[in-house]
Amino acid sequence: MDLSFVGKESGMNVLLIGGGGREHALAFKVAQSSLLDELYIAPGNPGTVRHGRNVDLDLNDHAKLRSFLKEKNIRIVVVGPEGPLVEGIHDRIADDPELEGRVTVIGPRKEGARLEGSKDFAKEFMFRHNIPTAAHRSFEKGQVKEALEHLKVMTPPYVIKADGLAGGKGVTITSDIREASSVVKDMLEGKSFGAAGERVVIEQFLNGLELSAFLITDGTSFKVLPAAKDYKRIGAGDTGPNTGGMGAVSPAPFADKDFMQKVHDRVMAPTIRGLRKDGIRYSGFLFIGLMNVNNEPYVIEFNVRLGDPETQAILPRLRSDLLDLFEGIATGTLSECHIDVDDRTAVTIVLASEGYPGRTGKGEPIGGLELVRDAYVFHAGTALKKDQLVTNGGRVLSVTAFGKDLEQAIASAYRSAGPIAYEGKYMRSDIGHDLVRTPGPKSGSVQKV
Ligand code: AMP
Ligand code: GLY
């Protein structure tokens, strides 16, 4: 193994994969590292160019990817989105004899990525390792009758999930048995979500406050990263369709020290132990979607990456050097790394284009960025037309501001997001408001199946 460029003394070259707000926040954080030499982002966006070089790289062309990694002497590949991980980019790089030992991928191998890639796999994993989650049953193609019978004995609301990746749209929660039955039928008959829906998970409804918890692991030890609350629905008051996320607050007041200790002991530690027990080598980030039900954590889902927009709220709070943590993964010494977090509250507001999460316009000039003070602006759906920054559809930008408490952080984030102007600008007006009103956990319940 060629170790000539290993070691903290020499600068590291990093390739970051992705081009959304999460990747802009990752680029911003990696660029702060004293260990960094060159940062490349594939494909990146107009915001990431401030922190590194955007490159056009076809990840599916492995020969090209290999030459890039060799030519640029890349030591760390950070994978932002789940897609390439579920497709096995880690395995391709790690098992390539020409790259062996040279490159560390931050993100799991294909087998570990199944925690996100298959809901059924994730549920079985949790069941096997005694990790608290909603009770469930899975049904396959050809089991429509059994699935519909099962719905009849359940108490509504019904929670129905397509097994595979469905771009965050594979979950239906409804109290209408007719709707529930037709969703199940369409999935199992391949009419919606294609192969991703040919297996369906029907689970118990959890009533509580939802939290996005994060850890980073080298497969043996793990470090807890700041947690956040995400605002998934498009409309104020949590109304309308689900989106990728319209805002985030970190920390979330209902995830206090006591609750996070339970998350550590009952969810995080057994998950990392379970992966090892099952012989699954897992390194990188793990995002655990949790429900706080009467102060008890229940896992809703695993994601094998960071969240968007949660990353834009949690990484500015992280004082530790992110590249130092990545180096800890590369050398299996993550346990020696230290996580230092800013105590202040960070609030992130997502600025989308009208029509999101459906079709949106593009090409609208964006102005007012120069008026933003005391806040970070992360790009997502932006593009450059000549020298003019324009919208490029969907979630356009996110704005993160700090406050010494939640109310101040909210005020500061809205003050900063206000002057940003483009045709069709849409943002939720109530990010964080529910947490100011109800700082403690609401009473919740776990409905019996
Ligand atoms: P998922 O794609 O599994 O994250 O589900 C999408 C959203 O549906 C979650 O973020 C939750 O808000 C909600 N959800 C999923 N499973 C449950 C459940 N068992 N009980 C209540 N809400 C759920
Ligand atoms: N904000 C939720 C996610 O990234 O999946």
Side-chain angles (χ1 to χ4, degrees), residues 132-267:
T133 185
H136 83 289
R137 275 191 64 187
S138 297
F139 298 92
E140 294 183 25
K141 216 170 149 178
Q143 290 187 302
V144 176
K145 198 163 154 261
E146 290 87 334
L148 298 185
E149 287 300 318
H150 180 62
L151 282 177
K152 283 188 200 150
V153 298
M154 280 183 72
T155 315
Y158 309 98
V159 181
I160 300 153
K161 302 185 175 184
D163 178 54
L165 289 185
K169 297 189 174 71
V171 177
T172 300
I173 301 179
T174 177
S175 291
D176 178 352
I177 182 111
R178 276 173 313 182
E179 188 190 354
S181 304
S182 83
V183 166
V184 167
K185 208 160 165 282
D186 284 354
M187 282 187 191
L188 289 178
E189 287 174 355
K191 289 185 198 144
S192 49
F193 305 111
E198 286 180 358
R199 186 191 293 249
V200 163
V201 172
I202 301 179
E203 67 178 41
Q204 189 184 24
F205 180 75
L206 300 170
N207 184 15
L209 293 165
E210 204 171 332
L211 181 77
S212 303
F214 299 93
L215 63 81
I216 184 165
T217 181
D218 58 8
T220 308
S221 68
F222 67 93
K223 297 283 171 184
V224 182
L225 297 173
K229 175 181 157 99
D230 176 25
Y231 290 77
K232 287 201 161 74
R233 303 294 194 99
I234 189 71
D238 293 330
T239 52
N242 257 327
T243 69
M246 294 302 296
V249 172
S250 177
F254 59 85
D256 58 14
K257 217 170 152 206
D258 182 43
F259 180 74
M260 289 311 292
Q261 190 62 47
K262 288 182 189 169
V263 172
H264 177 283
D265 298 348
R266 297 185 197 166
V267 177

Side-chain angles (χ1 to χ4, degrees), residues 89-102:
I89 193 168
H90 183 139
D91 309 64
R92 264 201 282 136
I93 293 174
D95 300 341
D96 184 331
E98 287 190 44
L99 297 171
E100 207 198 332
R102 284 178 164 231

Side-chain angles (χ1 to χ4, degrees), residues 294-418:
N294 292 329
N295 259 328
E296 302 298 324
Y298 288 81
V299 177
I300 294 177
E301 62 167 351
F302 288 118
N303 295 308
V304 297
R305 52 171 172 86
L306 290 175
D308 188 339
E310 291 95 325
T311 306
Q312 294 92 303
I314 68 171
L315 288 189
R317 293 189 61 219
L318 186 68
R319 287 212 188 96
S320 314
D321 185 325
L322 195 54
L323 219 38
D324 189 42
L325 300 178
F326 294 163
E327 180 66 5
I329 291 180
T331 52
T333 55
L334 187 67
S335 62
E336 293 163 24
C337 296
H338 182 64
I339 300 280
D340 187 18
V341 174
D342 191 326
D343 288 339
R344 291 175 302 164
T345 297
V347 168
T348 301
I349 318 267
V350 170
L351 278 56
S353 273
E354 198 178 353
Y356 179 74
R359 284 173 71 89
T360 63
K362 285 183 183 185
E364 299 295 346
I366 302 173
L369 288 179
E370 68 289 354
L371 301 174
V372 177
R373 303 257 178 278
D374 302 326
Y376 302 106
V377 178
F378 299 111
H379 290 229
T382 64
L384 277 176
K385 210 158 131 192
K386 304 219 169 86
D387 277 343
Q388 171 66 50
L389 189 70
V390 296
T391 62
N392 200 29
R395 293 186 289 179
V396 178
L397 296 162
S398 48
V399 175
T400 298
F402 278 110
K404 79 170 178 359
D405 60 26
L406 178 57
E407 278 168 288
Q408 290 198 10
I410 295 169
S412 177
Y414 277 106
R415 217 169 27 243
S416 298

